[in-house]
Amino acid sequence: MLRFANSFRIITLVIFLASLIYSYAAIPGDIVWGEGAFFGLVPAVMSKSTFFFTALITCILINLIFIVLIKNYDNKLRLTSGSPINLRIIPAWLHGLAGWLNTFFVLIVFYVGFTNSAEEMKSDNYDVMIFVGPILILLWFFYLPVLLMSKKTN
């Protein structure tokens, strides 16, 4: 499971980078955040290069944090043994969590790209994209106790 989860994290990271480059190319100018214009409020505006580098740095930092957590947990896991629950599954679960966070970042980047693109598209069809990511991450958190209580594999 560890190899699969690590591959999932790396593949979603590559998809994130591709979606970020695609959205950067599709957005004509500044990025408008929020629906404040409909309520008489001024929406936040950001240049597309600022969005690109902010998203890139955020994703890379979060992935680096997960890599450090996984390496530290692997080192501590080597020192402890004899636990009644399956602790060897935690590194794979952390890789999977990083992969689902990358998927959430992909969905956010696509949503921002679609809502700010030069082509006229209805953004109502893409609003569901924002809710899919947190739901998948929440399901992954609920999956952790199931994995921990599974039979211990050596």
Side-chain angles (χ1 to χ4, degrees):
M1 182 170 170
L2 182 62
R3 288 184 188 176
F4 174 74
N6 191 21
S7 300
F8 174 63
R9 182 183 59 82
I10 291 170
I11 289 169
T12 57
L13 185 60
V14 170
I15 293 171
F16 167 76
L17 294 174
S19 67
L20 189 62
I21 291 170
Y22 174 78
S23 293
Y24 182 79
I27 296 170
D30 291 338
I31 295 173
V32 178
W33 291 93
E35 303 284 332
F38 298 114
F39 301 110
L41 302 173
V42 177
V45 178
M46 175 188 288
S47 71
K48 71 178 189 177
S49 60
T50 303
F51 170 74
F52 177 82
F53 288 114
T54 302
L56 183 65
I57 290 170
T58 301
C59 187
I60 289 173
L61 282 177
I62 287 177
N63 277 278
L64 286 176
I65 288 170
F66 272 100
I67 289 171
V68 169
L69 282 173
I70 291 165
K71 293 294 181 192
N72 285 339
Y73 190 82
D74 278 341
N75 291 338
K76 288 181 182 178
L77 190 60
R78 288 188 182 103
L79 299 175
T80 61
S81 62
S83 176
I85 56 176
N86 189 5
L87 293 177
R88 297 196 181 278
I89 206 73
I90 298 290
W93 185 84
L94 287 171
H95 278 296
L97 181 60
W100 288 118
L101 284 170
N102 290 341
T103 304
F104 181 52
F105 293 149
V106 167
L107 293 173
I108 289 173
V109 166
F110 271 131
Y111 180 77
V112 170
F114 287 144
T115 57
N116 289 285
S117 70
E119 298 177 16
E120 191 65 35
M121 294 185 222
K122 278 188 113 177
S123 65
D124 295 342
N125 300 335
Y126 303 110
D127 287 344
V128 73
M129 290 171 55
I130 296 300
F131 298 108
V132 170
I135 290 170
L136 290 172
I137 292 169
L138 189 64
L139 288 174
W140 192 250
F141 273 104
F142 285 131
Y143 186 54
L144 178 62
V146 173
L147 286 175
L148 288 176
M149 296 305 165
S150 66
K151 291 190 177 192
K152 187 174 181 180
T153 57
N154 292 327

